[in-house]
Amino acid sequence: AQKVTQAQTEISVVEKEDVTLDCVYETRDTTYYLFWYKQPPSGELVFLIRRNSFDEQNEISGRYSWNFQKSTSSFNFTITASQVVDSAVYFCALSDFMIKAAGNKLTFGGGTRVLVKP
Amino acid sequence: EAGVTQFPSHSVIEKGQTVTLRCDPISGHDNLYWYRRVMGKEIKFLLHFVKESKQDESGMPNNRFLAERTGGTYSTLKVQPAELEDSGVYFCASSQDPYASSYNEQFFGPGTRLTVL
């Protein structure tokens, strides 16, 4: 069975501080996908990133960066120089790698609420 | 292009009543998923449609929940009778082609917040 754990339920920072969100996952699959989604106050889940399990290269997109370490089953997310607009709930998720008609249902973590104060 | 829409945005009902949630996927998307987040916990998979067929309903909690997708377009999720523990946010997501050779991104709707009193 798959499991995703986000140990931090809430993080509060002051604007311009960096914030790192932890994500640890469990799966018996040797290949899989990992994701991060953002849920702003408006409610919808906004896709941020998808990574294949065989690609451990870290990725940077603007102020966002992701550190994937297969050896520790972690996929951490860092927001650099946080802004008030980054305030949201962030979810880490996992899915099967195999493309199949049965679909790729997502297994989510509990989410981390980030509050960025001005 | 319109995204995934869900109706209503918020529903408040009493225990024992019936509620029907609706999801309109992105036009042309054959895959439709239902998820829910209960009591601030993790978002959990409920079921998956490919067109009008239920492909995977392993996450449906019990027989008080009935999902349909007649005609393979919009989907409804009915809860009858509703219980207190059904309160939460119900998300719908859609993706394009179940037989595609590459990963199909799931696009989520804004969710329906269900409160059972």
Side-chain angles (χ1 to χ4, degrees), chain B residues 35-53:
Chain B
Y35 296 85
R36 74 171 179 176
R37 190 183 189 208
V38 173
M39 292 285 291
K41 294 185 178 178
E42 66 273 17
I43 300 170
K44 284 194 172 180
F45 167 81
L46 295 178
L47 87 159
H48 168 222
F49 285 98
V50 175
K51 296 185 178 179
E52 67 275 9
S53 300

Side-chain angles (χ1 to χ4, degrees), chain B:
Chain B
E1 180 181 349
V4 177
T5 57
Q6 294 186 245
F7 182 83
S9 58
H10 193 184
S11 178
V12 181
I13 61 173
E14 292 189 351
K15 176 182 173 181
Q17 289 186 324
T18 298
V19 63
T20 300
L21 314 181
R22 173 170 170 147
C23 168
D24 285 77
I26 293 172
S27 178
H29 280 195
D30 288 338
N31 285 307
L32 188 148
Y33 302 81
W34 283 99
Y35 296 85
R36 74 171 179 176
R37 190 183 189 208
V38 173
M39 292 285 291
K41 294 185 178 178
E42 66 273 17
I43 300 170
K44 284 194 172 180
F45 167 81
L46 295 178
L47 87 159
H48 168 222
F49 285 98
V50 175
K51 296 185 178 179
E52 67 275 9
S53 300
K54 292 177 185 175
Q55 200 70 28
D56 181 356
E57 49 185 331
S58 60
M60 294 289 264
N62 52 61
N63 59 10
R64 295 186 293 104
F65 288 76
L66 175 63
E68 294 180 324
R69 192 183 182 196
T70 306
T73 54
Y74 70 91
S75 174
T76 58
L77 180 64
K78 180 190 288 187
V79 186
Q80 179 182 29
E83 297 290 342
L84 299 179
E85 64 265 26
D86 300 332
S87 295
V89 180
Y90 290 76
F91 291 101
C92 176
S94 72
S95 67
Q96 197 164 12
D97 180 359
Y99 302 102
S101 58
S102 60
Y103 188 87
N104 274 224
E105 222 64 70
Q106 292 184 33
F107 296 87
F108 281 81
T112 293
R113 181 174 296 276
L114 174 64
T115 303
V116 183
L117 302 175

Side-chain angles (χ1 to χ4, degrees), chain A residues 92-111:
Chain A
C92 182
L94 171 69
S95 84
D96 294 338
F97 180 80
M98 295 303 294
I99 307 300
K100 51 190 176 182
N104 299 93
K105 62 185 178 185
L106 297 169
T107 299
F108 285 88

